[in-house]
Amino acid sequence: MGSCGTVGPVRARYLVFFQYLGTDFNGVAAVRGNHRAVGVQNFLEEAAKRLNSVEPVRFTISSRTDAGVHALSNAAHLDICRRSGLPPYSPEVVTQALNTHLKHRDIRVLKAFRVPSDFHARRAATSRTYLYRLATGCPWPDQLPVFEQNVCWALQTKCLNVAAMQEAAQHLVGTHDFSAFQSAGSPTTNPVRTLQRVSVSSGPASPFVLPQESRKLQFWTLEFESQSFLYRQVRRMTAVLVAVGQGTLTPTQVKAILESHDPLGKYQTRVAPARGLFLKSVLYDDFGPTS
């Protein structure tokens, strides 16, 4: 573990897993100097001030999420440097202290781990899984139960051709140049990614749907797993797969879109709404919320 200064204090690094409902946030990343916008990281770092670190605590986020996107489990590393002679906090104390001092109810720290001083939450991640929730059978979005309106995409269509969506999804699995599904503003120059898994399945029934509505409403879940994703890649892939489910695209056309490497084509500029997207998990070889 490294020193925080010339003598005395010792820096301890932690990996923390946390979740949030993204509706009220401008994304997970901290927003600096703009008091009208705020990120999840702003609240985490404000809570971390109560840990009395000799140096300011900064969270290095594993997975960036946009405004309105949620996380069942995101991750970040942080360094805490206590005064000389004081031992490092236990992971349990870090977890409890952050949750105690968080000033937003839509954020919760799940668990913390002590990690080596050279551990990096973004680079060390071996897998990330995103989940997208859809609802069919809702003629107008405002007819969706209020508890579901910010956590799924309500489609006006009554049904989806799930078999066609599953066939189209298999064209996306594997190592490809995903330029066609990358939005402008991506910080990466390499569009090649390996998509390990894509699934399309019937989702669990919502506990918030009244019995008289449950006959017409159906929920669906899309999952995407990769070590890393391009900017808005999941939301753009979701929009294309939904188009297949609605019959406006064929699975063969999805393959052609992928091979075009063109992010400005007729169909691939569609982006699914942020509200239906969840970062489900970030995995590491040696650490995790259920370890």
Side-chain angles (χ1 to χ4, degrees), residues 121-191:
R122 186 174 66 254
R123 293 194 289 264
T126 58
S127 172
R128 294 172 173 86
T129 298
Y130 282 89
L131 176 154
Y132 200 100
R133 296 182 69 238
L134 304 167
T136 55
C138 190
W140 302 102
D142 60 1
Q143 294 179 2
L144 198 66
V146 294
F147 302 104
E148 289 284 358
Q149 288 182 8
N150 288 322
V151 291
C152 74
W153 181 12
L155 303 172
Q156 293 183 340
T157 185
K158 293 183 179 179
C159 60
L160 292 170
N161 186 338
V162 175
M165 294 172 71
Q166 292 170 335
E167 180 184 345
Q170 293 313 300
H171 292 305
L172 303 174
V173 174
T175 301
H176 306 285
D177 180 332
F178 281 97
S179 294
F181 295 98
Q182 176 178 258
S183 288
S186 175
T188 183
T189 57
N190 180 10

Side-chain angles (χ1 to χ4, degrees), residues 19-25 40 68-72 104-108 150-151 275 278:
Q19 62 183 197
Y20 48 90
L21 188 65
T23 306
D24 291 343
F25 303 110
V40 174
V69 176
H70 320 290
L72 299 176
H104 203 296
R105 295 181 179 179
D106 291 344
I107 309 170
R108 184 168 73 96
N150 288 322
V151 291
R275 61 182 175 272
F278 293 75

Side-chain angles (χ1 to χ4, degrees), residues 44-46 57 67 89 102 140 150 156 173 225 267 272 288:
L44 290 169
E45 291 180 352
E46 184 66 26
V57 176
Y89 291 116
L102 274 167
W140 302 102
N150 288 322
Q156 293 183 340
V173 174
E225 181 181 0
Y267 296 105

Side-chain angles (χ1 to χ4, degrees), residues 20-42:
Y20 48 90
L21 188 65
T23 306
D24 291 343
F25 303 110
N26 196 58
V28 67
V31 179
R32 312 292 184 190
N34 184 347
H35 299 294
R36 294 185 179 181
V38 66
V40 174
Q41 185 179 354
N42 292 101

Side-chain angles (χ1 to χ4, degrees), residues 16 30-31 95 105 139 142 167 169 253 257 260 267 274 277 282:
V16 297
V31 179
T95 301
R105 295 181 179 179
D142 60 1
E167 180 184 345
Q253 286 176 296
I257 289 171
S260 74
Y267 296 105
L277 183 60
V282 182

